[in-house]
Amino acid sequence: MQIISAPTEMQAFADDARRTGPTIAFIPTMGFLHEGHLSLVREGCRHGDDIVVSIFVNPAQFGPGEDLDTYPRALEADCEKAAAAGATVVFAPSREDLYGDAYQTYVTLEKLPQHLCGLSRPVFFRGVATVVTKLFNIVKPHVAVFGEKDYQQLLVVRRMVQDLNFNIRIIGGSIVREADGLAMSSRNSYLSPDERRRALCLFQSLQKAEEMVRSGVREAEALIQTARDIISRHPDADIDYIEIFDPETIDNLKRIEGPARMALAVKIGKTRLIDNILLTP
Ligand code: PAF
């Protein structure tokens, strides 16, 4: 597996691949790879010949007071894990490589960020759309894989790809969970053992909603209220949002008449966690 850090070298590699034929599958990450990321790499292997994993903690998607400085980093271990999962290239640029001193260009979407995570993290989707655009221009993939755990991010990327005419197929990878149901996330490493136990309330509330839908409940508010009750049993769980929405448009739903997504963001202590589930009546 090659490790490339210079954008120009990555571009030359991509140009060469595009000239000679291999399909490039791309998995963008911020590193500290876990089984969730690795499942995306394996998904990429099903769609491409050159499997490029980027590792870059993107400062543009962190707001003031967020965890940019403490975000976990483990480049060497990440390279080993990526290679074992089938990556053929790790692209790991530096901050200066992607955002020099005079940097001033950003990509913004008008509507999708005005929901869910975008409300409490106002610069997040601008940062994601900007860095993903830059990475697409550097890696030049045919296919890119994004996890469904960041469901709103997946929608943002799909919209952006359509709006900006990127000729890239976007694939959503399923959420990977720990044995007890906690959605895998690099930020789980922030949790103390006690918080780790309490963090399960996110998945438990989604599971309960799924169960209620299966038993015939259709009112979104009843599902949201039950989830709220489950989470509020934990005094240090601070709910940012719990919402049920149309999986394509992200518009809130009052009743579940077809497939719907239920998503939530909850702070357990200082750690903000997200999770979601597909509800099908
Ligand atoms: O999901 C992530 O890890 C990041 O938001 C991404 C897509 C790599 C952009 O920095």
Side-chain angles (χ1 to χ4, degrees), residues 28-30 37 56 58 61 124 128 131-132 135 146 150 153:
T29 81
M30 296 209 300
H37 296 113
F56 179 67
N58 173 33
Q61 69 192 70
F124 179 69
V128 168
V131 83
V132 170
L135 292 168
F146 289 79
D150 296 282
Q153 171 173 279

Side-chain angles (χ1 to χ4, degrees), residues 198-271:
R198 275 176 271 158
L200 265 189
C201 67
L202 278 84
F203 181 56
Q204 285 163 349
S205 63
L206 293 175
Q207 256 188 327
K208 180 71 188 171
E210 197 181 32
E211 206 180 294
M212 287 169 73
V213 170
R214 238 185 284 127
S215 66
V217 178
R218 295 287 175 266
E219 297 301 322
E221 195 43 51
L223 303 172
I224 291 171
Q225 190 51 50
T226 304
R228 208 171 269 286
D229 292 344
I230 292 173
I231 294 167
S232 305
R233 281 186 213 137
H234 303 279
D236 68 345
D238 183 9
I239 299 172
D240 177 358
Y241 64 77
I242 305 177
E243 293 198 24
I244 295 179
F245 52 88
D246 181 293
E248 304 295 324
T249 63
I250 219 166
D251 290 331
N252 280 345
L253 293 174
K254 283 200 160 59
R255 282 184 61 79
I256 320 272
E257 311 284 12
R261 278 269 161 188
M262 179 168 183
L264 40 75
V266 178
K267 259 187 162 177
I268 303 289
K270 288 199 169 84
T271 308

Side-chain angles (χ1 to χ4, degrees), residues 16 30-31 45 49 70 73 83-84 102 108 135 179 181 214 220 238 255 258 261 275:
D16 194 49
M30 296 209 300
C45 293
D49 309 301
T70 53
R73 290 157 169 90
T108 57
L135 292 168
R214 238 185 284 127
D238 183 9
R255 282 184 61 79
R261 278 269 161 188
D275 200 350

Side-chain angles (χ1 to χ4, degrees), residues 2-273:
Q2 285 190 60
I3 301 173
I4 298 177
S5 58
T8 47
E9 197 186 326
M10 186 67 240
Q11 277 168 325
F13 177 98
D15 287 339
D16 194 49
R18 281 191 163 257
R19 223 178 4 254
T20 54
T23 301
I24 304 174
F26 177 43
I27 301 92
T29 81
M30 296 209 300
F32 209 64
L33 303 183
H34 50 64
E35 201 40 49
H37 296 113
L38 302 178
S39 74
L40 304 181
V41 177
R42 288 190 282 268
E43 181 65 29
C45 293
R46 298 180 41 222
H47 302 278
D49 309 301
D50 281 319
I51 314 302
V52 181
V53 174
S54 67
I55 296 180
F56 179 67
V57 181
N58 173 33
Q61 69 192 70
F62 289 78
E66 292 187 349
D67 55 343
L68 172 62
D69 294 334
T70 53
Y71 196 86
R73 290 157 169 90
L75 184 59
E76 213 173 301
D78 283 348
C79 289
E80 281 170 23
K81 290 180 193 173
T88 55
V89 177
V90 161
F91 174 53
S94 69
R95 185 180 178 143
E96 295 67 41
D97 283 328
L98 291 198
Y99 299 102
D101 283 346
Y103 194 83
Q104 52 182 298
T105 306
Y106 292 89
V107 177
T108 57
L109 286 84
E110 300 222 324
K111 291 193 190 138
L112 278 175
Q114 290 172 25
H115 298 264
L116 311 176
C117 291
L119 298 178
S120 53
R121 305 191 69 194
V123 301
F124 179 69
F125 289 110
R126 177 179 99 136
V128 168
T130 300
V131 83
V132 170
T133 298
K134 287 166 71 63
L135 292 168
F136 282 173
N137 284 329
I138 296 168
V139 176
K140 309 186 186 197
H142 299 85
V143 175
V145 191
F146 289 79
E148 283 185 349
K149 184 171 82 68
D150 296 282
Y151 190 78
Q152 189 178 10
Q153 171 173 279
L154 176 62
L155 291 185
V156 161
V157 171
R158 282 194 201 285
R159 183 74 259 159
M160 183 184 93
V161 161
Q162 220 174 323
D163 289 353
L164 298 183
N165 305 92
F166 281 110
N167 191 9
I168 301 171
R169 189 153 65 90
I170 303 299
I171 294 170
S174 306
I175 298 177
V176 178
R177 299 182 179 281
E178 303 283 357
D180 60 5
L182 182 69
M184 288 197 184
S185 162
S186 303
R187 289 191 168 98
N188 291 350
S189 65
Y190 296 153
L191 299 168
S192 69
D194 199 36
E195 289 171 337
R196 168 68 183 75
R197 268 190 297 279
R198 275 176 271 158
L200 265 189
C201 67
L202 278 84
F203 181 56
Q204 285 163 349
S205 63
L206 293 175
Q207 256 188 327
K208 180 71 188 171
E210 197 181 32
E211 206 180 294
M212 287 169 73
V213 170
R214 238 185 284 127
S215 66
V217 178
R218 295 287 175 266
E219 297 301 322
E221 195 43 51
L223 303 172
I224 291 171
Q225 190 51 50
T226 304
R228 208 171 269 286
D229 292 344
I230 292 173
I231 294 167
S232 305
R233 281 186 213 137
H234 303 279
D236 68 345
D238 183 9
I239 299 172
D240 177 358
Y241 64 77
I242 305 177
E243 293 198 24
I244 295 179
F245 52 88
D246 181 293
E248 304 295 324
T249 63
I250 219 166
D251 290 331
N252 280 345
L253 293 174
K254 283 200 160 59
R255 282 184 61 79
I256 320 272
E257 311 284 12
R261 278 269 161 188
M262 179 168 183
L264 40 75
V266 178
K267 259 187 162 177
I268 303 289
K270 288 199 169 84
T271 308
R272 187 176 181 280
L273 301 174

